[in-house]
């Protein structure tokens, strides 16, 4: 007889988990780099693309996590309210999208302080952090614990990390920028992909389809990341809707915001040792 499959580590009846996430809210990084010549609060990614994305998420009944820069909370209060009113999580993505691995411990502390002040004024309590650039430093763990951050979403492995902070990783192929942006050509090559892609939308969708089957078989977790500023044409929006439809119809895969997944992982530490 074929032995029965091992019990799932996810909530019944699910075999795996997925979080749909978004990053970068408006022009925070462009302002930091002196590359934003327009009035503050007018970025088309927020005024045009984000409302369409929220409509698609509502259509497919998916609750997302938006990792937004704290600088942007006061620049786009209506967008933040729309996210919260729709039941989406607003999490932290640095103050102005500073590449996190390049920060000193002193600069990290300053970033936390400025960001938490903006969050306080906006009435937001952060539970999660995705470091811009994908990596954190050794000193970050203590600051996360000190500020009550319950999970972090870097490149890495699923599990419970230092200071008891849950790790909900992303991987480059699950990020639209990996497929769409020229500046990711080197990372694509490092991952065995072609530097120049003829049909990046189909390439990303194909990878996500295979990855979803993989996590179903292994009991894994997938963080899917779409940036509003990259949804610039109908082909990209069509692919986004196909992906959302695919996610929404996976009856044995738990689709939940990062904070809900992190809470489950924290409550079942024996099933989520890093590397398992």
């Amino acid at each position: 007889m074929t032995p029965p499959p091992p019990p799932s580590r996810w909530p019944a009846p699910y075999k795996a988990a997925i979080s749909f996430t978004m990053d970068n809210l408006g022009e925070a990084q462009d302002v930091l780099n002196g590359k934003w010549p327009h009035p503050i609060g007018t970025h088309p990614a927020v005024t045009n693309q984000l409302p369409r994305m929220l409509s698609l998420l509502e259509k497919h009944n998916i609750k997302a996590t938006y990792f937004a820069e704290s600088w942007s909370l006061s620049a786009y209060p209506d967008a933040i309210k729309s996210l919260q009113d729709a039941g989406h999580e607003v999490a932290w993505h640095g103050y102005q999208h500073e590449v996190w691995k390049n920060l000193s411990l002193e600069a990290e502390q300053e970033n936390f302080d400025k960001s938490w002040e903006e969050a306080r004024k906006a009435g937001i309590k952060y539970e999660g952090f995705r470091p811009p650039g994908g990596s954190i430093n050794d000193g970050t763990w203590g600051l996360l614990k000190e500020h009550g951050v319950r999970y972090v979403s870097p490149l890495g492995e699923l599990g419970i990390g230092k200071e008891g902070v849950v790790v909900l990783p992303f991987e480059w192929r699950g990020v639209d920028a990996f497929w769409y942006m020229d500046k990711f050509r080197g990372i694509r090559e490092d991952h065995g992909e072609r530097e120049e892609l003829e049909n990046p939308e189909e390439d990303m969708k194909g990878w996500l389809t295979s990855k979803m089957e993989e996590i179903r078989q292994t009991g894994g977790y997938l963080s899917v990341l779409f940036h509003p500023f990259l949804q610039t044409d109908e082909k990209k929006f069509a692919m986004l809707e196909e992906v959302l439809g695919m996610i929404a119809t996976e009856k044995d895969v738990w689709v939940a915001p990062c904070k809900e997944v992190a809470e489950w992982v924290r409550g079942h530490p024996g099933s989520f040792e890093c590397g398992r």
Side-chain angles (χ1 to χ4, degrees), residues 218-239:
T218 62
Y221 169 75
L222 175 62
S223 178
V224 180
L225 170 52
F226 280 80
H227 295 81
F229 77 86
L230 289 177
Q231 312 316 306
T232 53
D233 56 48
E234 294 306 314
K235 187 175 182 180
K236 289 184 173 62
F237 268 106
M239 194 279 277

Side-chain angles (χ1 to χ4, degrees), residues 115-146:
S115 296
W116 257 246
E117 176 60 19
E118 291 297 326
R120 183 193 64 77
K121 290 188 290 188
I124 291 173
K125 185 179 184 300
Y126 289 129
E127 293 195 32
F129 171 50
R130 175 169 284 160
S135 300
I136 63 173
N137 304 311
D138 288 342
T140 308
W141 297 100
L143 291 171
L144 291 171
K145 182 179 181 181
E146 177 185 336

